[in-house]
Each structure stands twice: as structure tokens, then as C-alpha cells.
């Protein structure tokens, strides 16, 4: 892929999706055009790194296309396939067998004949994995997250959540109540103050405390034991989203909940199949049958969505069986070896990684304009990673999100670190040259960014 060498206008290096989230004007259609103008300006200068598509399987090295159809190839750290199961022979054979037996479609809501024998077996497998909890399946992880809040919380209840909680959790809360209280990221003191204030004023209604076992933009984790204690003190319910670490972290595959010995601490566990389990879909795990049955009929994304297809349910179950096997343990160890090696090599190259070791390795970029140039250079040099910018992360806190697979080799890592270092160096120079009147607006790849806590 060739790099656009035209002078880049400032408008392509500034602005964010948030600027266009609430367009004004009486015509609902025409008022969105300004977003496309801004998006297309970035696209014209190869600064729009989203909506790319793979032309081959999403393996450690793949071929892909930009959203304009330009072909490129490279070392793939952008796909979410942590244990590299999406191309596993047993997974592919399971999918073929499921198609031969059931076809490709569930053809109904889970409430209306959409379940299959495969989905019932998957519920049983997940229940065993998570300590005999009751399982409710959802067509996507997003649907599970949304339904986990919307299904339980009512208008007079309260939701207290980490400011970095996933979109599905935040949107579920907005659909359920106006009583939403955000606290600073991983800030237990702030959480305590929120809970104390709520209970001092309202002893009658419910409180749902929402967190994630691994936050995907920062690669960090909360103190689940401390959060459980606070929930007990203030009569609150604890929800833990384990989308990114369940199956991929820990000797037993139970993620940070397992590492902290806190699987039993969560009242509600939600998860996604799209990171480790080689398919789309998600689940909610609760303690008893009554709670699960209530969710099935009062969480809208379960009741009013088609159920998981028989192919999805079968492949997830096969992936779960691998996760729980000795092969799964070996793959997790290989994955963690790759994670630690990637982080160490990036540090040697003067690059700053964020958070704790996990399949997500955030690499700090800083200013959004620098990040956009760096993404353009990285793709041209044969590296594939996702650029994350405001408002998904704090303003001035742009970063690459490298997503590591068990199938990556040391050669893959060595090469991608080398091209990343060059891409970030070249991006910094290019950005500075465009701002010669204000050299302080640039930053070197290893210097602190303007990110706020």
C-alpha cells in the first residue's frame, strides 16, 4: 500500500467522532453529512484506518483491504483470536458437521424455538466451567452486556460503573434508568463515596455495580475482592464483564476472576465468545434458575433477537472444550510468552506499553494527529494494529491496541516491533514538520503524552 504524500490539512489531524455524535438541524438525514466530509478528508490522506477487511483468515499474518479497497498485507496484531482457535482444525470440522446436521440458521428467538441441541450443550459446558452457574446465551457479546444491565435495572434503581466500562454496559444503563453514577477508573475510594451517598439517600432501591475483569483499552484489572466487600456493605449487586480474559488468561482459563480467586464474588458474570472462543455470541451467568429465567423474558436482547446459530453454538462448545484441556493450557502459556516478549521488545525499542500483561498490549502514541500518521506508516510498512483515539480513550491519549495470538512467532514480534518503531519515529517527524510554528505540539515516541488519568 502506498502512502499519500500530499500535504495533510489540519482538519484531517484534528477532530473526533464525538464532534459528530449530536448533529443539529431539522433534517435527520442531511445533518449527518458533515461527519462524512471529515471522515472522507482523512480517507483521502490515508488517515482513516477503520473498517478494514481481511482477504484471508485472520491469522498471525494475513492479507487485507482498506475501506477504499486498497490491498495490503502484514503481521496481524489487529484480530481478536487470542488462542488462535478460529482456524483450528477441530473448530472448522465442528462447523462443517453442524451445518450438515442443522443448516446455518437458528431461525427463531431462544424464546420461540430458536434453541438447538448445540445451544443446550453449550449452556451445560459453560455452567460447568463457571462453577455450576445458570447460563443465558445471547447472539453477540454486546447484546449480553446490554441485556445484563437492562434486564435487571429499573427506573428507580442505580447503576454505579467504572468510567471506562464498555459501551454495551453504558447503553444498557441508559436504557434502564437515569440514576447512573460513574466513578474514576479503578478508583475504589470514589466507588465507596458513590455507594455511601446513594444508600444514605435511598435504602429502598437496587444498586448495580459494574466493572470489567480486564479493561480492553488500558489492559488493567480491578480489585474484585474489595469491590465485593463494598457491595456487601452497601447491599449492592456486582456485575463483572470478563469478555477479554475468560479463556485466555490463567492456568485454568478463568481469567482475572480465577487469578484473584473471585469467580464466586460476582453476582452476574457476562462474557463474549468473539475474543477467545472462535465465534460471535455472548452469555450471562447467574447464580440460580429463577434469575436466569427472568433474564430470558425481560432482557430485550435475548427475547427479541434470534438465538445463536447451531454453527456458532457448536464451535463455541468445541473451543470451550479446548480451553479447558491440556491443549488450552499450552496455548495460554504460549500466548503469555508472546505477550511478555512483545512488551519486553517494545520497551527495548523505546516504546511505551500500558497496563499489565494480557492479550491486549496498548502502545502509547499521544496526540491524535501523531497517531493517525503512525497508523498510516505502520500499515505501509507491513504491520497491522488498531489505532484507538478519543473518545474511546482520553483526549491526547491515542494508542495502538496490539492484540496478541498464541500463533504469533518471535519472528513476527521482532519484525512488528521494528516497523512500529520506524512508523512512530516517522510519524513524529511528519507531524512536527507540519507544525513548525509550534514544535511543542509534537512528541517523541517515548515521551509522555497528554493523557489524563
Amino acid at each position: 500500500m502506498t502512502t499519500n504524500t500530499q500535504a495533510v490539512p489540519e482538519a484531517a489531524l484534528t477532530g473526533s467522532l464525538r464532534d459528530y455524535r449530536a448533529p443539529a438541524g431539522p433534517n435527520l438525514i442531511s445533518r449527518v453529512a458533515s461527519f462524512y466530509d471529515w471522515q472522507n478528508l482523512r480517507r483521502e490522506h490515508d488517515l482513516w484506518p477503520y473498517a478494514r477487511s481481511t482477504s484471508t483468515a485472520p491469522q498471525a499474518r494475513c492479507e487485507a483491504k482498506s475501506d477504499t479497497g486498497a490491498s495490503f498485507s502484514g503481521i496481524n496484531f489487529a484480530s481478536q483470536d487470542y488462542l488462535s482457535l478460529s482456524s483450528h482444525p477441530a473448530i472448522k470440522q465442528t462447523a462443517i458437521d453442524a451445518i450438515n446436521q442443522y443448516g446455518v440458521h437458528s431461525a427463531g428467538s431462544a424464546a420461540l424455538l430458536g434453541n438447538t441441541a448445540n445451544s443446550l450443550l453449550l449452556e451445560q459446558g459453560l455452567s460447568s466451567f463457571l462453577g455450576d452457574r445458570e447460563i443465558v446465551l445471547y447472539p453477540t457479546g454486546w447484546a449480553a452486556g446490554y441485556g445484563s444491565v437492562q434486564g435487571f435495572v429499573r427506573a428507580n434503581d442505580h447503576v454505579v460503573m467504572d468510567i471506562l466500562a464498555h459501551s454495551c454496559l453504558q447503553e444498557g444503563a441508559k436504557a434502564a434508568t437515569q440514576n447512573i453514577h460513574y466513578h474514576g477508573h479503578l478508583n475504589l475510594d470514589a466507588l465507596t463515596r458513590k455507594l455511601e451517598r446513594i444508600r444514605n439517600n435511598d435504602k429502598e432501591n437496587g444498586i448495580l455495580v459494574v466493572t470489567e475483569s480486564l479493561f480492553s483499552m488500558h489492559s488493567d484489572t480491578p480489585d474484585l475482592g474489595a469491590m465485593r466487600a463494598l457491595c456487601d456493605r452497601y447491599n449492592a449487586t456486582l456485575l463483572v464483564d470478563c469478555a477479554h480474559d475468560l479463556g485466555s488468561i490463567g492456568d485454568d482459563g478463568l481469567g482475572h476472576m480465577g487469578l484473584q480467586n473471585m469467580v464466586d464474588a460476582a453476582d452476574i458474570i457476562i462474557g463474549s465468545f468473539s475474543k477467545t472462543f472462535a465465534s460471535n455470541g455472548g452469555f450471562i451467568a447467574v447464580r440460580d434458575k429463577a434469575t436466569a429465567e427472568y433474564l430470558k423474558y425481560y432482557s430485550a436482547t435475548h427475547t427479541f433477537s434470534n438465538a445463536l446459530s447451531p454453527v456458532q453454538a457448536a464451535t463455541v462448545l468445541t473451543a470451550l472444550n479446548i480451553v479447558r484441556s491440556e491443549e488450552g493450557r499450552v496455548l495460554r502459556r504460549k500466548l503469555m510468552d508472546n505477550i511478555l516478549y512483545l512488551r519486553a521488545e517494545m520497551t527495548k525499542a523505546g516504546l511505551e506499553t500500558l497496563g499489565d500483561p494480557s492479550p491486549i498490549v496498548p502502545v502509547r502514541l499521544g496526540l491524535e494527529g501523531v497517531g493517525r500518521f503512525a497508523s498510516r506508516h505502520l500499515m505501509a510498512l507491513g504491520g497491522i494494529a488498531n489505532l484507538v483515539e478519543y473518545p474511546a480513550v482520553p483526549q491526547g491519549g491515542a494508542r495502538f491496541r496490539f492484540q496478541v495470538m498464541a500463533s504469533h512467532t518471535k519472528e513476527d514480534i521482532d519484525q512488528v516491533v521494528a516497523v512500529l518503531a520506524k512508523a512512530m519515529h516517522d510519524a513524529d517527524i511528519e507531524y512536527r514538520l507540519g507544525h513548525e510554528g509550534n514544535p511543542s505540539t509534537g512528541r517523541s515516541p517515548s515521551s509522555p503524552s497528554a493523557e489524563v488519568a
Side-chain angles (χ1 to χ4, degrees), residues 98-409:
I99 290 171
N100 288 335
Q101 183 174 5
Y102 287 101
V104 298
H105 187 28
S106 63
S109 162
L112 299 171
L113 205 65
N115 284 323
T116 65
N118 289 345
S119 57
L120 299 181
L121 288 171
L122 176 57
E123 289 175 0
Q124 294 172 19
L126 284 168
S127 176
S128 174
F129 187 44
L130 293 170
D132 297 322
R133 287 179 179 248
E134 295 290 331
I135 305 297
V136 182
L137 298 175
Y138 286 77
T140 65
W142 201 97
Y146 181 97
S148 68
V149 183
Q150 173 270 325
F152 289 116
V153 174
R154 297 298 173 259
N156 292 328
D157 294 327
H158 302 263
V159 178
V160 184
M161 63 171 59
D162 193 295
I163 190 67
L164 296 184
H166 193 272
S167 163
C168 63
L169 302 167
Q170 296 195 36
E171 293 302 319
K174 292 174 186 177
T177 181
Q178 293 185 348
N179 302 322
I180 304 172
H181 315 263
Y182 294 100
H183 65 83
H185 182 50
L186 303 185
N187 189 329
L188 288 171
D189 290 337
L191 173 59
T192 303
R193 290 192 298 271
K194 299 283 185 185
L195 291 172
E196 183 176 24
R197 187 177 303 120
I198 293 167
R199 273 294 173 238
N200 284 341
N201 295 311
D202 185 353
K203 294 179 173 58
E204 303 300 322
N205 294 294
I207 304 174
L208 182 65
V209 174
V210 176
T211 192
E212 301 181 19
S213 52
L214 178 67
F215 285 86
S216 66
M217 297 303 176
H218 288 61
S219 189
D220 52 12
T221 187
D223 183 338
L224 295 172
M227 296 187 76
R228 176 71 264 170
L230 286 172
C231 288
D232 291 341
R233 185 190 309 173
Y234 294 102
N235 190 20
T237 299
L238 179 61
L239 183 154
V240 179
D241 176 357
C242 60
H244 283 275
D245 58 336
L246 187 71
S248 66
I249 287 181
D251 192 58
D252 55 8
L254 288 170
H256 284 283
M257 292 189 302
L259 292 176
Q260 296 185 35
N261 196 27
M262 283 291 140
V263 175
D264 292 336
D267 298 296
I268 305 165
I269 297 171
I270 67 172
S272 170
F273 303 138
S274 58
K275 321 305 186 215
T276 299
F277 297 91
S279 185
N280 290 339
F283 69 89
I284 301 176
V286 292
R287 297 186 191 278
D288 57 61
K289 184 75 170 178
T291 309
E293 287 297 310
Y294 186 85
L295 268 180
K296 289 178 181 179
Y297 298 96
Y298 289 94
S299 62
T301 47
H302 178 87
T303 310
F304 300 105
S305 295
N306 262 32
L308 281 177
S309 76
V311 181
Q312 290 172 306
T315 55
V316 172
L317 180 58
T318 298
L320 175 61
N321 291 337
I322 294 171
V323 163
R324 300 182 71 183
S325 71
E326 181 59 28
E327 181 183 4
R329 291 186 182 90
V330 171
L331 288 171
R332 280 190 293 278
R333 291 169 190 154
K334 176 67 166 64
L335 173 64
M336 185 54 70
D337 287 345
N338 285 343
I339 292 163
L340 296 174
Y341 185 67
L342 176 63
R343 293 177 72 96
E345 291 304 300
M346 285 186 173
T347 299
K348 287 180 186 177
L351 307 173
E352 183 181 359
T353 59
L354 305 173
D356 302 316
S358 83
I360 302 158
V361 180
V363 183
R364 190 192 298 270
L365 291 164
L367 295 171
E368 285 72 18
V370 174
R372 292 169 194 177
F373 279 131
S375 182
R376 182 172 79 174
H377 287 299
L378 181 66
M379 192 161 59
L381 292 168
I384 308 174
N386 290 315
L387 174 67
V388 184
E389 56 186 26
Y390 180 79
V393 294
Q395 197 159 26
R399 64 202 59 180
F400 281 122
R401 189 169 76 165
F402 277 71
Q403 295 173 142
V404 188
M405 303 183 208
S407 60
H408 281 126
T409 65

Side-chain angles (χ1 to χ4, degrees), residues 427-444:
D428 192 62
I429 292 174
E430 188 171 10
Y431 186 83
R432 287 174 182 270
L433 289 174
H435 295 79
E436 291 178 350
N438 186 13
S440 65
T441 58
R443 57 172 293 276
S444 65

